Amino acid sequence: MTKKPRLPPGQRWITGFPVRTAEQMPDSFDPETWTLTIDGEVSKQLVLSYQEIHKLPITTQTSDFHCVEGWSVKDNQWEGVLFKEIANLVKPKPSAKHVLFHAEHEYTSAIALPVLMEEDVLLAWNRNGEPMRAEDGWPLRLIIPRLYAYKSVKWVRRITFLKDLELGYWEKRGYHQDADPWQSQRFAKC
Ligand SMILES: Nc1nc2c(c(=O)[nH]1)N[C@H]1C(S)=C(S)[C@@H](COP(=O)(O)O)O[C@H]1N2
Ligand SMILES: [Mo]
């Protein structure tokens, strides 16, 4: 078997970090009132405050970032909490197969639960040692390095464990549900 190349097919390395947003950016963030809701097919629903999230075990990870438009950014260091830590707190029921991430406004994306339980998936607040800018997804964004970046939801406010798949914002508009860059899963088959 040949090893996967670092750069997926059809991608090119760029420097800098573009901002891509299909929606309006949240206009304010108040750490005293901001919350993250975790619900759906779980044994224990939770509402976490900004302070509570920052008390969970913190991880730092370096990964590449691949946008479906064809640009990739090497070696981003993300700091945050592993998705796995959040799942351990709420204890997904055996019926939970997918997880829908809701952003502050209308953006959503769903990912299969086993993909999220891998060691490289995190909810991040810092990039390269600095707090993310508002436009980068502050105060909390999902990072799934092995999938196209439309799965890396910015401004996450709600995480819902699902029995049946619900398509997210771009997936409803024809993007691929699985989004594996090494298989060029850009568009859904129709
Ligand atoms: N809430 C939200 N998250 C989002 C998006 C968005 O429009 N809204 N765009 C996605 C897409 S298509 C990409 S490429 C990345 C871009 O992240 P960046 O703006 O930090 O480069 O965010 C993803 N997450
Ligand atoms: Mo994207």
Side-chain angles (χ1 to χ4, degrees):
M1 236 174 64
T2 48
K3 200 169 158 275
K4 279 200 304 193
R6 181 165 179 184
L7 188 66
Q11 297 293 113
R12 67 183 186 285
W13 294 118
I14 61 159
T15 52
F17 217 95
V19 173
R20 286 289 179 273
T21 289
E23 64 187 324
Q24 183 199 334
M25 212 173 72
D27 35 40
S28 63
F29 161 67
D30 177 355
E32 296 306 317
T33 56
W34 183 95
T35 53
L36 173 71
T37 300
I38 307 149
D39 60 5
E41 301 293 308
V42 293
S43 307
K44 192 172 159 235
Q45 300 211 353
L46 265 187
V47 178
L48 295 175
S49 68
Y50 181 73
Q51 288 78 11
E52 285 168 329
I53 289 173
H54 286 254
K55 282 190 204 130
L56 296 172
I58 294 175
T59 313
T60 303
Q61 299 222 355
T62 301
S63 56
D64 301 337
F65 190 86
H66 308 291
C67 169
V68 72
E69 290 170 359
W71 52 267
S72 295
V73 183
K74 254 184 207 170
D75 289 332
N76 306 285
Q77 192 196 69
W78 303 102
E79 181 185 303
V81 51
L82 287 180
F83 174 82
K84 219 171 67 171
E85 295 286 349
I86 306 260
N88 290 344
L89 290 179
V90 296
K91 306 204 176 352
K93 293 182 180 168
S95 52
K97 303 288 182 228
H98 308 271
V99 182
L100 185 65
F101 290 79
H102 305 253
E104 181 83 29
H105 295 302
E106 76 266 38
Y107 197 85
T108 53
S109 190
I111 297 101
L113 182 55
V115 173
L116 294 169
M117 298 301 276
E118 300 278 343
E119 292 297 329
D120 58 354
V121 177
L122 69 167
L123 287 151
W125 50 78
N126 275 12
R127 190 177 68 216
N128 299 335
E130 307 268 352
M132 276 186 262
R133 301 167 300 174
E135 57 267 41
D136 302 323
W138 178 265
L140 197 67
R141 85 170 294 173
L142 181 62
I143 291 294
I144 313 181
R146 283 169 303 115
L147 302 183
Y148 284 125
Y150 58 89
K151 296 291 186 179
S152 291
V153 178
K154 306 199 271 190
W155 311 299
V156 175
R157 290 298 305 272
R158 185 169 161 210
I159 300 177
T160 306
F161 288 72
L162 299 173
K163 210 182 285 179
D164 301 310
L165 176 64
E166 278 178 40
L167 293 182
Y169 181 92
W170 282 120
E171 293 84 351
K172 275 185 204 152
R173 290 163 175 79
Y175 282 78
H176 203 292
Q177 171 56 25
D178 298 334
D180 179 349
W182 286 271
Q183 295 188 52
S184 297
Q185 291 175 329
R186 297 171 195 270
F187 304 106
K189 288 197 198 84
C190 46

